[in-house]
Amino acid sequence: MKKRLVSLLMVFVMLLTALVPVAAFAKSKTPVWDKYSNMGKYKVSSFTFKVSGNDFTYKVWYPKDIKKMSKRPVILYCNGTSANYIKKPTTVKYLRKAASYGFVCLTNTDENTGVGTSMNAGMDALVKYNSKKSHRLYKKLNLNKVGLAGHSQGATCCMNLASKGNYDNLKYFKAVYACSLPSPALADSSFQNCPYDSSCVALPTLLISGSGITDNAFISPPHSSLKPAMKNIKNDVYCARMTDVEHADSIYDTHPYMIAWFDYKLNGNQKAAKAFIGKSPELKTNKAFQDFKRKIYCKKATLVDVKAGKKSFKAQWKQVKRERGCQLQYSTSKNFNEKSTKELLIKKTSSAKNVKNLKSKKTYYVRVRTYRKIGGINFYGKWSAVKTVKTK
């Protein structure tokens, strides 16, 4: 009887397996995208307000149970030209979704946000509400974790808010998500009148656009928008384009990575980070995207001095705070030929190194560069100027 029951059970399991598609058991190749395509675990509430100095309405989405929660990270969302959350209801969808992951999200009805003035005023209001006892956001905002997001002219707004010397609120901003960033020429034209200088930006930035003709050829071309911004921004920059997506749809179609980006950069979520870091980041392998690039920014090291010793030398360099350490390279060849060159990785706790067991009365060429380890990969800065030393 038992053998018969076991046999029937095995037949049932085999039939069930045959009926369930194989894909149901397959591991997703885009788990980060899949997660942030769906709502998070928190219920969401919202409110609106006005500020003195302009006629715009500001709207905030936040976790409904925020009073029971720790301080929340903030996302400022800047509108594209002629768009706002009333005219473009899809904006509400992804800001509500971000709030369901624990963010406090702010936007307004300004349809020309580019210079950053109206969104800076909104940030002023959030700072005030965070210190006002009677307000629902009292002491619930983590002002050390504020992200800037924007589409089209709104991406220009992000650049201006994040630029050194423009606004006092820069001290709060920690990361940027710039979707379909207009070229500097377009931003400076009479059509937008909101010039920006990406070389003044020093925040981690994710540049996303569509590869459709409107972005590719007119608004956010790789050669005149994405490439210069990636080169000029003085921090880590990641860049990709969503295949066959046009400008008008680029922010809504790519927003799951916007939420993931801020969960990584503001909250330190390492599962979200897998979309951007490592040898095969999801944004690179996701077949819906193309042209993935990244620049890991390392400050240039300065080699201060190299002093000769008996069959040795002592190298000294300026300490670089953010980087993990320095790579010291020395060679008997001024061209640093591979066969005659050696190198050492030195942690940032040190700013000097004694190199021993060298040849006596030999000239060595010495240089250093900073490095950072992200996602298990070492990334290096530019080499310092070379100094020569002759051992004793």
Side-chain angles (χ1 to χ4, degrees):
M1 184 67 180
K2 288 184 179 181
K3 289 184 179 180
R4 188 175 180 184
L5 287 172
V6 171
S7 297
L8 287 171
L9 182 60
M10 290 179 66
V11 170
F12 175 76
V13 171
M14 290 173 68
L15 287 171
L16 183 62
T17 302
L19 292 171
V20 177
V22 175
F25 296 100
K27 187 177 180 180
S28 172
K29 293 182 179 180
T30 57
V32 178
W33 177 266
D34 295 345
K35 175 180 177 178
Y36 295 100
S37 293
N38 297 307
M39 291 291 285
K41 65 181 180 179
Y42 299 113
K43 293 182 179 179
V44 177
S45 293
S46 64
F47 67 90
T48 60
F49 65 89
K50 295 272 193 177
V51 301
S52 60
N54 66 55
D55 296 325
F56 305 121
T57 298
Y58 292 77
K59 189 161 186 175
V60 175
W61 290 266
Y62 63 97
K64 187 175 182 180
D65 293 331
I66 194 169
K67 288 185 178 180
K68 300 177 183 178
M69 301 169 71
S70 59
K71 290 184 177 182
R72 298 289 86 203
V74 178
I75 298 174
L76 301 190
Y77 178 74
C78 312
N79 302 311
T81 304
S82 301
N84 60 44
Y85 70 91
I86 296 173
K87 283 189 172 182
K88 200 169 183 179
T90 51
T91 304
V92 177
K93 291 183 179 180
Y94 52 78
L95 293 183
R96 280 185 60 86
K97 187 183 293 183
S100 77
Y101 282 92
F103 295 95
V104 173
C105 301
L106 170 73
T107 191
N108 64 11
T109 54
D110 186 2
E111 298 174 30
N112 293 283
T113 60
V115 294
T117 306
S118 69
M119 289 307 296
N120 187 66
M123 186 65 205
D124 285 339
L126 290 183
V127 173
K128 182 179 71 175
Y129 294 153
N130 193 56
S131 61
K132 188 176 181 179
K133 288 186 178 180
S134 61
H135 200 275
R136 70 189 80 189
L137 298 181
Y138 175 60
K139 289 187 176 180
K140 287 300 175 182
L141 302 181
N142 191 333
L143 298 179
N144 292 317
K145 295 181 178 180
V146 182
L148 300 171
H151 173 244
S152 192
Q153 186 180 160
T156 303
C157 176
C158 293
M159 292 292 107
N160 282 319
L161 287 172
S163 289
K164 185 177 180 180
N166 282 359
Y167 298 100
D168 290 341
N169 286 326
L170 173 61
K171 60 181 178 287
Y172 300 120
F173 306 142
K174 296 298 183 291
V176 174
Y177 180 89
C179 185
S180 295
L181 175 68
S183 67
L186 177 58
D188 196 24
S189 70
S190 59
F191 179 67
Q192 290 197 336
N193 289 312
C194 50
Y196 70 92
D197 183 353
S198 57
S199 68
C200 294
V201 177
L203 298 178
T205 301
L206 176 57
L207 297 168
I208 292 287
S209 72
S211 70
I213 191 169
T214 45
D215 263 350
N216 187 60
F218 301 109
I219 298 175
S220 191
H223 68 281
S224 61
S225 172
L226 305 180
K227 188 176 179 179
M230 191 167 192
K231 178 183 177 181
N232 293 336
I233 292 171
K234 295 177 176 62
N235 209 305
D236 300 347
V237 185
Y238 300 77
C239 181
R241 299 194 297 157
M242 196 169 192
T243 303
D244 296 329
V245 169
E246 295 297 339
H247 179 77
D249 301 318
S250 62
I251 181 63
Y252 183 72
D253 287 3
T254 66
H255 77 268
Y257 281 141
M258 177 188 78
I259 303 172
W261 174 248
F262 289 127
D263 212 3
Y264 165 40
K265 283 299 177 181
L266 301 184
N267 295 328
N269 187 317
Q270 292 305 301
K271 289 184 178 179
K274 291 180 180 180
F276 315 104
I277 67 173
K279 293 181 180 179
S280 298
E282 185 181 298
L283 187 53
K284 181 180 180 180
T285 59
N286 188 334
K287 292 183 179 180
F289 288 81
Q290 64 184 64
D291 306 324
F292 173 82
K293 294 179 178 64
R294 61 184 168 194
K295 178 193 76 176
I296 303 301
Y297 184 77
C298 297
K299 293 180 180 178
K300 189 175 179 179
T302 301
L303 185 59
V304 177
D305 192 21
V306 182
K307 293 182 179 180
K310 188 175 181 180
K311 293 186 178 182
S312 67
F313 66 78
K314 182 179 181 180
Q316 291 181 300
W317 56 90
K318 285 186 179 179
Q319 182 66 269
V320 182
K321 292 182 179 180
R322 193 181 79 161
E323 275 62 5
R324 182 163 183 165
C326 280
Q327 183 184 51
L328 174 70
Q329 194 175 70
Y330 59 97
S331 178
T332 54
S333 165
K334 65 180 180 180
N335 296 321
F336 291 86
N337 293 332
E338 186 177 347
K339 290 182 179 180
S340 59
T341 301
K342 293 185 179 181
E343 55 194 29
L344 300 167
L345 281 183
I346 302 156
K347 293 182 179 179
K348 68 179 180 180
T349 52
S350 299
S351 58
K353 179 66 177 179
N354 282 308
V355 180
K356 301 178 180 180
N357 301 320
L358 303 175
K359 294 179 180 180
S360 63
K361 298 180 181 181
K362 188 73 174 177
T363 298
Y364 285 87
Y365 299 87
V366 185
R367 61 185 181 179
V368 294
R369 62 179 178 178
T370 57
Y371 80 95
R372 294 168 60 204
K373 191 171 186 176
I374 300 175
I377 303 172
N378 283 346
F379 295 91
Y380 299 91
K382 294 182 179 179
W383 287 112
S384 69
V386 176
K387 288 186 179 292
T388 59
V389 62
K390 189 173 183 179
T391 56
K392 297 178 182 179

